[in-house]
Amino acid sequence: MSRIDVRKTYKLSIGGAFPRSESGRTYEVTDAKGAFWANASAASRKDARDAVVAARSAFKGWSTRTPYNRGQVLYRVAEVLEGRRAQFVDEVQRSEGATKRQAEATVDTAVDRLVWYAGWADKVAQVVGGTNPVAAPFFNFSVPEPTGVVAVSAPQGSSLLGLVSVVAPVITTGSTCVVASSVERPLPAITLAEVLATSDVPGGVVNVLTGTLRDTLPTLASHRDVNALDLTGTAGDAELAAELEELAADNLKRVRRGGGAEEDWTLDPGLDRLTWTLETKTVWHPIGR
Amino acid sequence: MVSFDYAPAPESTSIVDIKSSYGLFIDGEFTDPAAGGSFKTISPSTEEVLAEVAEADESDVDRAVKAARRAHTRVWSRLSGRERGKYLFRIARIIQERSRELAVLESIDNGKPIRESRDVDVPQVAANFFYYAGWADKLEYAVAGRAPASLGVAGQVIPWNFPLLMLAWKVAPALAAGNTVVLKPAETTPLTALLFAEICQQADLPPGVVNIVTGAGDTGRAVVAHPDVDKVAFTGSTEVGRSIARSVAGTDKKVTLELGGKAANIVLDDAPIDQAVEGIVNGIFFNQGHVCCAGSRLLVQESVADEVLERLKRRMSTLRVGDPLDKNTDVGAINSGEQLAKIRELAAVGESEGAAGWSPPCDLPAQGFWFPPTVFTGVTQAHRIAREEIFGPVLSVLTFRTPSEAVDKANNTPFGLSAGIWSDKGSRILWMADQLRAGVVWANTFNKFDPASPFGGYKESGYGREGGRHGLEGYLR
């Protein structure tokens, strides 16, 4: 008799734990060919709020790590992801309907992207901060600091590479995040959360919610304890994006708009995604004896 | 006892020629508004009407935006950075040449002491144009890893507390980056912006590169909401900032917001007390406290609180309140009757919530809008005067026992614009500066500005930075 395979139960990732949705709801996820694959958790508004609490409590510890240490952790994520390459190739292939070769290239790029950001952790302050030559006897310098808790709507199409491309820059500089994953292709996101949980990323730094955007994003956009909102995953849904941006105005969240279409994640990302979650702090001190 | 009173030392106003009425500055010319509306601007220290100023409606704003668009497409974006920079250098020089005129007019229209407009505002205005002029041909060095380009037309709305300085903060980087602008000055302080329009004419700035539309809230909304504006830059209240953030939702407009603050000025037990007291006074009474980054919450360590307060009160007693055009004046007039009413309301709330207010004895002029320098003691974090921006010469004093407690109290606000630290210990200053969630931290000093230094807030104090290389980025694609 042939062996019955052990199927995976996909849950949410909040505060380093993997709970089911408190609502008890799930939704059916199919592979690119339309065949049943798994029941993913449908996160509720309460789950979203819990995730914000987890992200907020992780912020102090994560943002005060040395940039060197955050770089090490990011690199560790790349290592662990590389080690589970086969699993991700399989999940990306099934999620996105890609060929094996395309899926392999995608996973490789995702690993490389993490390595790229790992190297930025201890350099970004030198590139975007510095001393300011004021015309008076003061020592004046500007340093970039993480903005806080960032709500991220992950790309709908690119289930792994796109996800890594939006999450890694946020945490590289010390912010923490709550991620609403791709609705149709949520499973690589949960598997990535497992990688993060075993890569020295402290619990709560990345929290992953699966489910419909309408259930989670309005809660995150209007949440008073969320500092920034990345609308990448709403690309193409201008109405939803505008609604969320309006909600975000309540506490003057920093908003990154989604645009008309999903971007090409294979391109060089540049500094933009790294710097939009940074605040500039300028310190003045008199010079004298 | 012999008293040595200061003799009055009024600044002559003969250098300024205020016209009886002003039009809108669109496409290089002063023009009448389509609907013909106008409003009066008055001197806050005498309540005398200074001039009638045109009120721009939507069609006027549209005309200004069209002029700015044309100027951007046909002229300004095609000029080399070097040539753009030369125009800005010219403007900086004309501002220096006409500095006394600008300072006197600013004090007349705004009510701020001539000492500040002459020694702080106008020199900073010239310095901002000079600083950004030099960036115009160096943009590719300003942004790491990308090729910069201008955004297009910038719609800019500025407040009444530093009318000319806020204009410079907005216009100089916008033009240096290759944008053209439509600027709306505040309705109570439009005169120096209109004088700046003349300066643009003297500099032969191409028509349409700078357009100035005067008016109140509706005019500002029309500027912000205009569909052909690519960039919105606003300095003002958090409440208006929120509504701007809502109104640009779903558009492609880039936004910079410089909003309110409730800065903590923290005095530790090892602080140089006399310097700290000077900094506290400068932090809250500079420009009548009409400063978004004013040090309006004094957090003083319990062990030195009595001493600090005693010396603070003594120092406050020497502040001279009165005629803004008197060179001896420290505290001038409140900018408007409306603002005075707001300050009075919040001061009354402070009393009713149990805090104790104190002001030095001072004779306030019978005419005009005045509020004496005031300090509230016995304030807790729950008091409205410790939470809300008063935007006037009113200081709330709280105490703390440990530096950590000071940090917690300082950060316990939705704002995050600025903060002050007073201590003789470098390691403690750097530790605390690191903990404070604020865009500008002044250590052993307060309210210092420089064109090369980025300025802007965390949290609900807005987003984006002005000043320095960072300020330029907000105007580049």
Side-chain angles (χ1 to χ4, degrees), chain A residues 15 20 30 52 56 79 91 93 111 131 150 186 194 208 218 230 255 263 277 281:
Chain A
R20 291 191 164 84
T30 57
V52 173
R56 173 58 61 193
E79 285 180 351
E91 283 191 359
Q93 202 180 339
V111 172
T131 55
V150 182
E194 293 169 4
V208 179
D230 180 353
V255 176
E263 56 198 271
T277 58
K281 177 186 278 177

Side-chain angles (χ1 to χ4, degrees), chain B residues 209-224:
Chain B
V209 172
V210 168
N211 303 274
I212 293 172
V213 289
T214 41
D218 285 342
T219 310
R221 271 186 286 279
V223 171
V224 169

Side-chain angles (χ1 to χ4, degrees), chain B residues 6-334:
Chain B
Y6 288 87
E11 169 75 52
S12 163
T13 58
S14 63
I15 195 169
V16 174
D17 171 31
I18 301 177
K19 299 182 182 69
S20 60
S21 72
Y22 288 88
L24 307 167
F25 184 65
I26 297 175
D27 212 12
E29 304 283 343
F30 284 95
T31 72
D32 290 332
S38 72
F39 61 97
K40 294 179 174 65
T41 183
I42 63 167
S43 153
S45 61
T46 62
E47 297 178 58
E48 170 202 357
V49 174
L50 298 170
E52 292 250 345
V53 181
E55 180 161 23
D57 65 10
E58 269 180 47
S59 67
D60 300 313
V61 169
D62 184 54
R63 228 165 12 112
V65 172
K66 284 203 168 88
R69 173 66 61 197
R70 264 195 316 275
H72 180 259
T73 325
R74 295 186 189 166
V75 185
W76 201 243
S77 67
R78 293 188 182 184
L79 272 186
S80 68
R82 190 178 57 194
E83 303 305 321
R84 278 204 315 270
K86 286 199 286 198
Y87 280 114
L88 290 173
F89 279 122
R90 269 190 198 177
I91 291 173
R93 280 296 196 235
I94 299 174
I95 288 167
Q96 288 172 326
E97 287 156 15
R98 301 181 70 173
S99 60
R100 173 133 315 208
E101 185 185 354
L102 287 164
V104 172
L105 184 58
E106 192 80 316
S107 281
I108 291 173
D109 202 18
N110 168 279
K112 64 172 64 200
I114 184 75
R115 195 169 58 83
E116 292 176 6
S117 53
R118 183 194 61 200
D119 300 348
V120 181
D121 292 39
V122 176
Q124 283 285 316
V125 171
N128 269 277
F129 278 97
F130 197 87
Y131 173 82
Y132 279 111
W135 267 123
D137 56 356
K138 302 169 190 69
L139 298 179
E140 61 274 27
Y141 298 93
V143 285
R146 65 193 163 99
S150 64
L151 297 169
V153 176
Q156 310 181 317
V157 178
I158 58 171
W160 45 260
N161 57 342
F162 292 93
L164 206 48
L165 185 57
M166 292 300 107
L167 175 149
W169 279 23
K170 299 274 184 294
V171 173
L175 298 194
N179 305 279
T180 54
V181 307
V182 175
L183 176 110
K184 191 206 82 80
E187 67 270 29
T188 61
T189 56
L191 295 185
T192 45
L194 295 164
L195 183 53
F196 177 78
E198 289 177 26
I199 290 173
C200 293
Q201 289 178 327
Q202 282 192 338
D204 281 332
L205 192 70
V209 172
V210 168
N211 303 274
I212 293 172
V213 289
T214 41
D218 285 342
T219 310
R221 271 186 286 279
V223 171
V224 169
H226 195 290
D228 204 29
V229 161
D230 303 293
K231 157 88 183 184
V232 173
F234 171 76
T235 295
S237 72
T238 295
E239 189 192 335
V240 175
R242 250 191 270 283
S243 74
I244 290 175
R246 270 187 212 107
S247 83
V248 300
T251 69
D252 289 332
K253 289 174 189 172
K254 288 219 340 177
V255 191
T256 309
L257 300 173
E258 298 286 356
L259 310 177
K262 193 73 194 175
N265 203 356
I266 304 168
V267 180
L268 292 150
D269 55 8
D270 63 346
I273 303 281
D274 283 330
Q275 280 158 267
V277 166
E278 214 44 45
I280 295 162
V281 166
N282 182 37
I284 185 63
F285 302 125
F286 178 66
N287 202 39
Q288 298 72 247
H290 301 327
V291 186
C292 49
C293 51
S296 54
R297 284 184 298 154
L298 175 63
L299 298 182
V300 52
Q301 197 151 9
E302 225 171 66
S303 51
V304 292
D306 289 344
E307 190 188 352
V308 168
L309 265 174
E310 192 196 313
R311 293 205 218 177
L312 175 63
K313 286 180 176 176
R314 195 169 63 209
R315 176 68 180 87
M316 282 169 69
S317 306
T318 66
L319 289 173
R320 301 173 61 80
V321 185
D323 184 2
L325 289 171
D326 190 317
K327 292 162 194 163
N328 295 321
T329 294
D330 298 304
V331 179
I334 300 302

Side-chain angles (χ1 to χ4, degrees), chain A:
Chain A
M1 201 175 138
S2 66
R3 181 176 171 273
I4 305 292
D5 59 349
V6 179
R7 289 188 181 169
K8 181 169 163 185
T9 302
Y10 291 86
K11 300 190 221 170
L12 305 174
S13 173
I14 298 175
F18 291 85
R20 291 191 164 84
S21 167
E22 61 80 35
S23 67
R25 294 180 307 163
T26 58
Y27 70 109
E28 225 172 81
V29 177
T30 57
D31 63 18
K33 290 183 185 131
F36 173 79
W37 185 353
N39 289 305
S41 293
S44 65
R45 284 175 293 186
K46 174 75 163 66
D47 293 319
R49 289 197 298 272
D50 289 347
V52 173
V53 171
R56 173 58 61 193
S57 29
F59 177 67
K60 190 163 189 193
W62 183 240
S63 60
T64 54
R65 296 273 182 115
T66 62
Y68 175 50
N69 179 253
R70 278 201 301 272
Q72 296 269 310
V73 172
L74 264 290
Y75 185 74
R76 177 77 182 147
V77 177
E79 285 180 351
V80 178
L81 185 53
E82 178 92 32
R84 291 171 68 162
R85 188 167 176 274
Q87 183 183 5
F88 279 101
V89 168
D90 177 54
E91 283 191 359
V92 167
Q93 202 180 339
R94 285 185 74 183
S95 286
E96 300 179 15
T99 63
K100 181 144 194 262
R101 180 176 252 173
Q102 287 166 335
E104 281 171 345
T106 299
V107 176
D108 291 346
T109 311
V111 172
D112 291 354
R113 184 127 314 155
L114 282 160
V115 174
W116 144 271
Y117 281 116
W120 266 118
D122 55 2
K123 293 162 196 73
V124 68
Q126 283 176 320
V127 172
V128 302
T131 55
N132 306 304
V134 295
F138 291 94
F139 178 48
N140 178 305
F141 61 97
S142 292
V143 286
E145 288 192 348
T147 195
V149 174
V150 182
V152 180
S153 171
Q156 294 303 311
S158 181
S159 59
L160 177 70
L161 176 57
L163 178 69
V164 165
S165 302
V166 296
V167 170
V170 170
I171 64 172
T172 296
T173 54
S175 283
T176 59
C177 61
V178 177
V179 186
S181 81
S182 164
V183 181
E184 306 277 330
R185 304 166 174 181
L187 303 185
I190 295 303
T191 308
L192 180 70
E194 293 169 4
V195 165
L196 296 169
T198 51
S199 312
D200 304 330
V201 178
V205 169
V206 179
N207 305 276
V208 179
L209 304 174
T210 52
T212 67
L213 298 184
R214 287 266 170 202
D215 283 334
T216 51
L217 286 184
T219 302
L220 296 173
S222 58
H223 200 295
R224 305 289 286 192
D225 208 23
V226 171
N227 301 90
L229 175 66
D230 180 353
L231 293 173
T232 300
T234 65
D237 188 344
E239 198 185 323
L240 176 63
E243 192 183 308
L244 294 169
E245 188 176 348
E246 232 172 282
L247 289 172
D250 262 355
N251 71 334
L252 293 157
K253 281 181 190 64
R254 286 75 175 116
V255 176
R256 191 187 167 90
R257 297 187 177 121
E262 191 164 321
E263 56 198 271
D264 181 352
W265 300 105
T266 61
L267 301 178
D268 178 346
L271 273 194
D272 221 33
R273 287 194 172 267
L274 204 58
T275 52
W276 82 276
T277 58
L278 293 176
E279 302 288 347
T280 298
K281 177 186 278 177
T282 300
V283 181
W284 293 66
H285 194 278
I287 295 171
R289 284 187 290 174

